[in-house]
Amino acid sequence: MKRLVTGAAALAAATLGYAVGIERRHWTLRTAELPVLTDGSRPIRVLHVSDLHMLPGQESKQRWVAELDRLEPDLVVNTGDNLAHPQAVPAVLRALGPLLNRPGVFVFGSNDYYAPKPKNPARYLMPNGRKKRIHGTRLPWRDLRAAFIEHGWQDLTHVRRTLTVSGQHVFTAGVDDPHLHRDRYTDIMGTPDRKAALRLGVTHSPEPRVLDSFAADGYDLVLAGHTHGGQLRVPGIGALVTNCELDRSRARGASRWGADMWLHVSAGLGTSPYAPARFACPPEASLLTLLPREARVSRAQNLARRQAASNVR
C-alpha cells in the first residue's frame, strides 16, 4: 500500500509539473477548413486569436504570436481576454504588432476589464450557475482598445460592420462579454447582408443564448474563446468544464450550431496567473480556411479527422 501511495503521489507530481512547466508553453497552431462562404466566393484565411491573458514578462508567448504574421491571414479575429496585469498592454501590442497591420476585428472579455484574482481551485469543477463572479482590479482596456483602433482594427462591440477582405465583402457583428452579462444582442439584431461572402459573428464567451440569436438571424459562422478548451482535459473524455453554459463537447474547435451556422471556439493562448496549468489542451491559435458552402460535402466529411490531426508545434 505504501508503494502504491508513493507511486500515485509521484505520478500526480509529474503530471502537475508537466502541466505547469511544459504544456502551458507548448504554443500550438490548430487548422481547420469550414464551408461557410457564399457559393462562388474565394477562400478566406482567418487567424483566430483569443485569451492571451498576457503578463509583461511572457516573452516566449509574445514572440510566438508575432510570428503568426508569417501565415499571411486575410483577417485576424481577436475574441478577448488579452490582459492579465495592469502593465500588460505594451506586451500585448508587441505580440500582436505585425498582425495589427492586417484587417482585424475584436471584442473584449472579462479579463480585459478586470484583473484575475486567486480563487479556490474547487470552483473549477462547480456548475457555472453556482459560481459567484469575483473581479480583480480594473485593467486599462481603454488604452488597449485605442491602440487596436489606431492600427485599423475594428471594435465589434454591439455594432455591425461590413469589411472588405481579400476583395470580398464580409459582414461582421459582435457583442460585449456574455460571461459578465454585458451582451446586448438587441443592439445588433436583424438579418445580416445576404450579398456578403461571409456573415461573421464574434463574442468572447460562447453562451448558447447568444449563439442562438446569431443563428436565428442567419449568420454563417461565430468565433468565440473563453473556455480555454477546458484547460485540463482528460484523454478519452475531453473537457470537464467550459466555464459557461456551452456543452463540454464544444469546448474547443469547430462544430455545427443549428442547421446552417458553424461555431469555432479557441482554446486560447494563456491561463490565469493563479491557475498556470494546462493538460491535454495546449495553448493555441487557429488558422481557419473558409471555403464556399458548395465544398460542404467533400470537406465537412473529413473535418473531424482533420481537427484531431491538425495540432502542430
Side-chain angles (χ1 to χ4, degrees):
M1 177 61 72
K2 183 177 180 180
R3 290 182 178 179
L4 181 61
V5 171
T6 301
L11 178 60
T15 300
L16 180 61
Y18 168 79
V20 173
I22 298 177
E23 183 162 323
R24 76 182 180 99
R25 297 185 180 89
H26 191 274
W27 319 117
T28 299
L29 179 67
R30 181 183 293 273
T31 62
E33 296 178 343
L34 302 179
V36 296
L37 302 181
T38 301
D39 287 349
S41 302
R42 297 186 301 278
I44 297 175
R45 288 156 54 88
V46 174
L47 179 65
H48 184 187
V49 178
S50 194
D51 296 86
L52 287 166
H53 292 282
M54 188 71 76
L55 295 171
Q58 292 180 322
E59 296 180 0
S60 173
K61 184 192 299 184
Q62 294 167 37
R63 289 193 299 269
W64 190 84
V65 174
E67 289 174 358
L68 293 174
D69 185 62
R70 297 179 182 178
L71 299 173
E72 300 184 346
D74 300 309
L75 177 68
V76 182
V77 179
N78 181 316
T79 49
D81 272 10
N82 296 276
L83 304 172
H85 190 280
Q87 299 177 12
V89 170
V92 172
L93 296 179
R94 281 194 294 271
L96 296 174
L99 295 167
L100 290 172
N101 296 319
R102 299 187 181 277
V105 295
F106 66 94
V107 293
F108 282 152
S110 59
N111 285 140
D112 293 301
Y113 300 119
Y114 302 101
K117 291 187 67 175
K119 300 173 185 177
N120 184 343
R123 295 180 76 256
Y124 179 78
L125 297 175
M126 290 174 59
N128 190 58
R130 299 181 186 176
K131 295 179 183 178
K132 181 180 179 180
R133 299 287 183 264
I134 301 175
H135 298 315
T137 58
R138 292 183 181 274
L139 293 173
W141 64 270
R142 291 180 178 84
D143 295 341
L144 186 62
R145 178 180 183 273
F148 283 175
I149 291 174
E150 181 181 356
H151 283 85
W153 278 15
Q154 301 289 320
D155 183 357
L156 293 185
T157 304
H158 299 142
V159 297
R160 295 152 53 109
R161 300 184 187 278
T162 298
L163 312 178
T164 300
V165 178
S166 189
Q168 303 174 97
H169 286 168
V170 173
F171 185 91
T172 63
V175 295
D176 208 346
D177 189 8
H179 184 64
L180 296 181
H181 301 284
R182 296 172 67 119
D183 55 299
R184 300 194 310 270
Y185 190 85
T186 54
D187 287 2
I188 60 168
M189 69 183 302
T191 303
D193 183 3
R194 292 300 182 190
K195 296 181 180 180
L198 171 69
R199 292 156 288 271
L200 174 66
V202 183
T203 179
H204 175 64
S205 179
E207 297 292 348
R209 69 176 187 276
V210 175
L211 302 179
D212 286 343
S213 295
F214 276 119
D217 276 345
Y219 283 79
D220 303 307
L221 172 66
V222 172
L223 301 187
H226 178 71
T227 66
H228 295 191
Q231 192 163 322
L232 305 176
R233 297 173 67 95
V234 177
I237 296 177
L240 300 178
V241 296
T242 64
N243 199 27
C244 63
E245 298 303 320
L246 188 73
D247 54 288
R248 294 183 296 109
S249 65
R250 304 174 191 265
R252 72 178 181 189
S255 61
R256 297 298 296 269
W257 192 271
D260 299 310
M261 193 176 84
W262 284 84
L263 167 68
H264 184 268
V265 179
S266 171
L269 282 157
T271 65
S272 165
Y274 301 107
R278 281 180 175 261
F279 186 77
C281 189
E284 68 175 40
S286 300
L287 183 66
L288 309 176
T289 301
L290 309 185
L291 303 169
R293 288 180 178 271
E294 59 197 5
R296 180 184 303 170
V297 175
S298 61
R299 300 289 187 174
Q301 289 176 344
N302 296 322
L303 178 62
R305 185 164 64 252
R306 288 178 180 272
Q307 285 284 110
S310 63
N311 280 356
V312 295
R313 183 153 186 182

